[in-house]
Every structure is written in C-alpha cells, then in structure tokens.
Amino acid sequence: DTGVSQDPRHKITKRGQNVTFRCDPISEHNRLYWYRQTLGQGPEFLTYFQNEAQLEKSRLLSDRFSAERPKGSFSTLEIQRTEQGDSAMYLCASSLVGARYTGELFFGEGSRLTVL
Amino acid sequence: DAKTTQPPSMDCAEGRAANLPCNHSTISGNEYVYWYRQIHSQGPQYIIHGLKNNETNEMASLIITEDRKSSTLILPHATLRDTAVYYCIVRASQEYGNKLVFGAGTILRVKS
C-alpha cells in the first residue's frame, strides 16, 4: 500500500443522478478526511472520521451528501440528486493520530465529478 | 484556526531559490505553521511544518519570524517540477489532528 487511493478518478453524470466515491486510506491510518475543490480554489473541508465515527461535518455537506466509514477502513461519499454546482474534485486524505502523529495528511489523487 | 495571507502568484527562475512568504499575524501560541503544495491535477502534498524554530527537510526550509506572525518557505534550487500552488496553513494542536483549512495559496511558476 503506497498511498491513498480514490475511485473513480473521473465521473460524468446527469443532473439528478446519484454518485458514489470510494476512498481507501493508507492501511494503518485511523483518521480520514473528505474535501471538495473547485477550479482556482483551495480544497474545502467537508467531513472527517476517526476510525468509523464521523466527528465533524462542514456546513457545505448538505443533506444530499452522506459519508460513511463502516469498518474504520475505506470510506464512501455519496451525492444524491446531483446538481451542476456539485461539479468539483473530491479529495480524500488520511492521517495517523496517536503516538506517531506528525500532523501530516496524505491526500489521494481525487475524484473529479462533472454534472451535466 | 488563524487565517493566513499569501501573494496570489510568484515567478522564479529555474535553479534559483524560491522564497514564498506567508503572513499569519493572529497566530496563537499552540498553532503550527504547515506548508502543502498541489501540482496540477494531483492531491495536495505535505512539505514541512514548524512551531517556532526554523525547520529544514529534504524538500524545503521553513523560516518563522521570532514573533511568529509570518513565515517563509524556501525551495533552495527550484526546478520546473516545483511549479505548483503552495498553501500556508496555520493549525492548532498537532496532537489532536485538527483538519486543515486551505486558503487560495500562491501559484509558483518556475521558468527556464
């Protein structure tokens, strides 16, 4: 395992459809983050998990968005009834919180969503 | 977390040092300064972080002023592959793994 992997890398969908993104963090990492990034902007925090517990959600995470990390390993981010404004890069990051914590987040390559 | 201010863009000649400034005048005592960069179409990548002492690693050096209100990231010999957006982030209490709050960053263009 060499890093955080995200799937799919690209998704094109029609408005109103549901989409799901998957993130596989670095295997020993207990914390997992989701961010969203639109063109020309820095990443915006959406939510994060400590193991399977979702500890914080941004106001950006409307009720159409849901994230899970059922077994404290991989995570999914689902967007229901997509809108054109959901078009963005969705980034996942992981870190190890604990005795060996360095403060570093490891990011995946992102999943780019285009809503037509 | 304290807010940071960075110039929107900078140019640097290949082989020269790139010095990227960051202001964080409202930083508090337990907040660390982190630098990440994002190369086009990739996720952000950690570069370096510090509390009050200067730090150096294989990628860069971080110089934090004595009053901690500003810092400079130094890439000693910039290459074309260093062209990226550089984010300066202030973050409290590294032991608790607080989220990173990104600003717009500085676009660094390294030119041959």
Side-chain angles (χ1 to χ4, degrees), chain B residues 9-47:
Chain B
S9 65
M10 294 181 64
D11 291 339
C12 177
E14 188 178 21
R16 304 296 296 269
N19 296 283
L20 293 96
C22 180
N23 286 323
H24 31 79
S25 58
T26 59
I27 193 170
S28 58
N30 68 341
E31 290 180 317
Y32 289 74
V33 180
Y34 282 79
W35 284 84
Y36 279 71
R37 74 178 183 183
Q38 188 172 23
I39 295 169
H40 183 62
S41 296
Q42 297 183 19
Q45 175 192 24
Y46 167 83
I47 302 173

Side-chain angles (χ1 to χ4, degrees), chain A residues 31 33 35 56 101 103 105, chain B residues 36 38 91 94 97 99-100:
Chain A
R31 189 161 283 198
Y33 303 79
Y35 284 80
E56 186 175 349
Y101 184 61
L105 266 62
Chain B
Y36 279 71
Q38 188 172 23
R91 183 193 198 194
Q94 81 168 10
K99 63 184 182 288
L100 294 173

Side-chain angles (χ1 to χ4, degrees), chain A residues 6-23:
Chain A
Q6 294 188 243
D7 183 72
R9 292 292 312 279
H10 302 276
K11 178 72 175 179
I12 300 173
T13 191
K14 293 182 179 179
R15 189 178 55 185
Q17 298 295 304
N18 299 343
V19 297
T20 299
F21 300 113
R22 176 181 170 123
C23 172

